[in-house]
């Protein structure tokens, strides 16, 4: 497994998907300063991130989860979640932008 700790800095507008309902591309910075792109991330994951049942702003939130390198993408920073149910995720602190 490839566990990574990531500060989420970018989420894209949701796109319809036959397999996952709606997807977003999520990107951020790892602890070592390298960029990382996580795709696909189901929109429902962002809605239920804190168990609120509503959409929340996940930008500038630290997360930790298991990822696998995407072999179908030429970008070296592209990864996919190992588990699409996100049960292995750890939600960390959120950085206040004020």
């Amino acid at each position: 497994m490839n566990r990574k700790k990531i500060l989420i800095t970018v989420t894209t507008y949701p796109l319809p998907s036959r397999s996952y309902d709606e997807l977003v591309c999520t990107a951020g910075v790892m602890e070592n300063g390298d960029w990382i792109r996580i795709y696909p991330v189901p929109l429902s994951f962002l809605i239920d991130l804190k168990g609120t049942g509503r959409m929340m702003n996940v930008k500038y939130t630290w997360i930790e989860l298991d990822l696998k390198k995407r072999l179908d993408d030429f970008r070296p920073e592209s990864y996919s979640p190992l588990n699409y149910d996100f049960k292995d995720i750890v939600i960390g602190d959120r950085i206040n932008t004020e």
Side-chain angles (χ1 to χ4, degrees):
M1 278 188 251
N2 201 358
R3 191 132 185 106
K4 305 255 185 221
K5 186 173 180 182
I6 303 151
L7 176 65
I8 304 238
T9 56
V10 178
T11 57
T12 61
Y13 190 79
L15 295 173
S17 164
R18 289 183 185 180
S19 302
Y20 301 100
D21 294 326
E22 289 184 301
L23 298 176
V24 294
C25 177
T26 304
V29 181
M30 293 186 290
E31 289 181 296
N32 67 0
D34 289 345
W35 280 99
I36 189 166
R37 176 182 179 269
I38 307 167
Y39 181 85
V41 177
L43 180 62
S44 60
F45 161 72
L46 297 179
I47 292 171
D48 292 328
L49 188 61
K50 293 277 190 178
T52 62
R54 62 183 170 80
M55 184 73 166
M56 67 167 282
N57 186 356
V58 296
K59 286 174 74 175
Y60 312 116
T61 300
W62 283 100
I63 64 168
E64 201 174 316
L65 74 159
D66 296 323
L67 299 171
K68 60 184 172 186
K69 180 76 178 99
R70 288 191 65 96
L71 302 177
D72 61 345
D73 193 326
F74 67 91
R75 293 172 281 201
E77 69 275 8
S78 289
Y79 286 79
S80 290
L82 188 61
N83 302 306
Y84 288 105
D85 60 9
F86 290 91
K87 290 183 180 181
D88 64 337
I89 193 166
V90 174
I91 308 298
D93 294 331
R94 184 169 190 271
I95 296 176
N96 188 342
T97 58
E98 293 176 9

